[in-house]
């Protein structure tokens, strides 16, 4: 066997070794499947794991909620506390985004294009966003105290980022649950092997 043939094999072995080493410290992504009380898989549920231990500080990723065809896109956004969210208007008509939610009470000036600065979301909770000009426009922001979050897809699956081993409260919030009601919460113990987790919501969606 020539050296030429051997090299990729060696590289493969090294890659495998690195993967094994990585698995001891960084745990695999966790898939959470969410169903409602009738067994239906739920899309656009916000799934987040709040650790019961101190985490190194992480910088919140910014998010964008655009306005297009007189709609906020996306309908549901999840960010970590401290995140900046910008609200670009990609319509030709003007919009005026606002919220009365305690977690973030704001009103942007009537605008087209990009407002002057993104907004800071530094308080955990649910923020319902509307437009003063177009009553049908609505968006939901779930601000969470953890970097471990995801949204469910059309199959009810949310893929959380790698979770360090430890104890968590696994929470699920959906925009169609009763307004003001608490997110679903269940304990989660993360050990070396993380199973796929099924969450059955006990509440009825509106
Ligand atoms: Cu509008």
């Amino acid at each position: 066997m020539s050296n030429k043939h051997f090299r990729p094999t060696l590289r493969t072995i090294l890659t495998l070794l690195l993967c094994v080493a990585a698995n001891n410290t960084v745990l695999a992504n966790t898939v959470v499947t969410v169903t409602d009380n009738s067994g239906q898989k739920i899309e656009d549920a916000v799934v987040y794991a709040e650790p019961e231990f101190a985490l190194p500080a992480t910088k919140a990723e910014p998010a964008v909620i655009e306005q297009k065809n007189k709609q906020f896109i996306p309908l549901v956004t999840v960010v970590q506390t401290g995140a900046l969210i910008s609200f670009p208007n990609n319509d030709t008509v003007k919009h005026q985004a606002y919220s009365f939610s305690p977690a973030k009470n704001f009103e942007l000036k009537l605008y087209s294009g990009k407002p002057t600065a993104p907004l800071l979301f530094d308080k955990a909770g649910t923020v319902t966003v509307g437009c003063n000009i177009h009553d049908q426009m609505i968006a939901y922001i779930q601000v969470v105290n953890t970097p471990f979050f995801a949204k469910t897809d059309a199959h009810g699956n949310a893929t959380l980022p790698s979770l360090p081993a430890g104890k968590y409260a696994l929470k699920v919030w959906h925009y169609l649950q009763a307004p003001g009601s608490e997110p679903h919460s269940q304990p989660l113990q993360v050990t070396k092997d993380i199973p796929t987790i099924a969450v059955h919501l006990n509440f009825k969606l509106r």
Side-chain angles (χ1 to χ4, degrees):
M1 194 191 266
S2 77
N3 221 2
K4 215 170 162 190
H5 285 113
F6 184 67
R7 253 187 232 129
T9 315
L10 183 61
R11 203 161 31 210
T12 308
I13 292 168
L14 284 174
T15 307
L16 282 171
L17 283 173
L18 281 173
C19 286
V20 170
N23 270 341
N24 289 332
T25 46
V26 181
L27 296 159
N29 291 352
T30 306
V31 177
V32 180
T33 305
V34 181
T35 50
D36 70 2
N37 64 348
S38 67
Q40 284 288 340
K41 290 181 173 169
I42 303 287
E43 187 176 10
D44 272 336
V46 172
V47 177
Y48 51 111
E50 289 180 344
E52 292 181 6
F53 52 92
L55 274 181
T58 47
K59 198 173 172 342
E61 291 291 325
V64 176
I65 300 176
E66 76 163 326
Q67 285 123 86
K68 184 84 188 157
N69 301 325
K70 297 182 186 170
Q71 280 187 317
F72 288 113
I73 302 169
L75 172 65
V76 178
T77 297
V78 51
V79 291
Q80 186 181 357
T81 45
L84 293 170
I85 301 184
S86 47
F87 294 82
N89 178 359
N90 294 320
D91 277 333
T92 48
V93 294
K94 289 185 174 182
H95 294 297
Q96 188 174 34
Y98 74 95
S99 177
F100 293 134
S101 300
K104 183 71 181 179
N105 194 321
F106 71 90
E107 183 175 62
L108 295 174
K109 288 207 173 85
L110 189 66
Y111 67 100
S112 50
K114 238 181 176 173
T116 45
L119 296 178
L120 174 67
F121 290 77
D122 53 2
K123 207 170 157 189
T126 303
V127 180
T128 306
V129 182
C131 171
N132 272 329
I133 315 301
H134 308 99
D135 281 345
Q136 83 280 6
M137 290 176 68
I138 192 157
Y140 302 91
I141 305 165
Q142 187 72 354
V143 186
V144 299
N145 265 327
T146 170
F148 310 117
F149 58 78
K151 262 187 346 182
T152 55
D153 60 17
H155 307 288
N157 294 325
T159 304
L160 290 174
S162 301
L163 299 172
K167 284 184 177 174
Y168 296 80
L170 180 66
K171 298 196 172 178
V172 178
W173 174 85
H174 194 275
Y175 70 97
L176 291 179
Q177 71 182 62
S181 60
E182 289 295 310
H184 166 92
S185 182
Q186 66 188 58
L188 171 65
Q189 172 90 54
V190 174
T191 52
K192 205 172 155 217
D193 300 307
I194 310 183
T196 300
I197 301 165
V199 173
H200 304 289
L201 300 180
N202 50 9
F203 47 70
K204 196 170 165 55
L205 300 175
R206 274 182 289 139

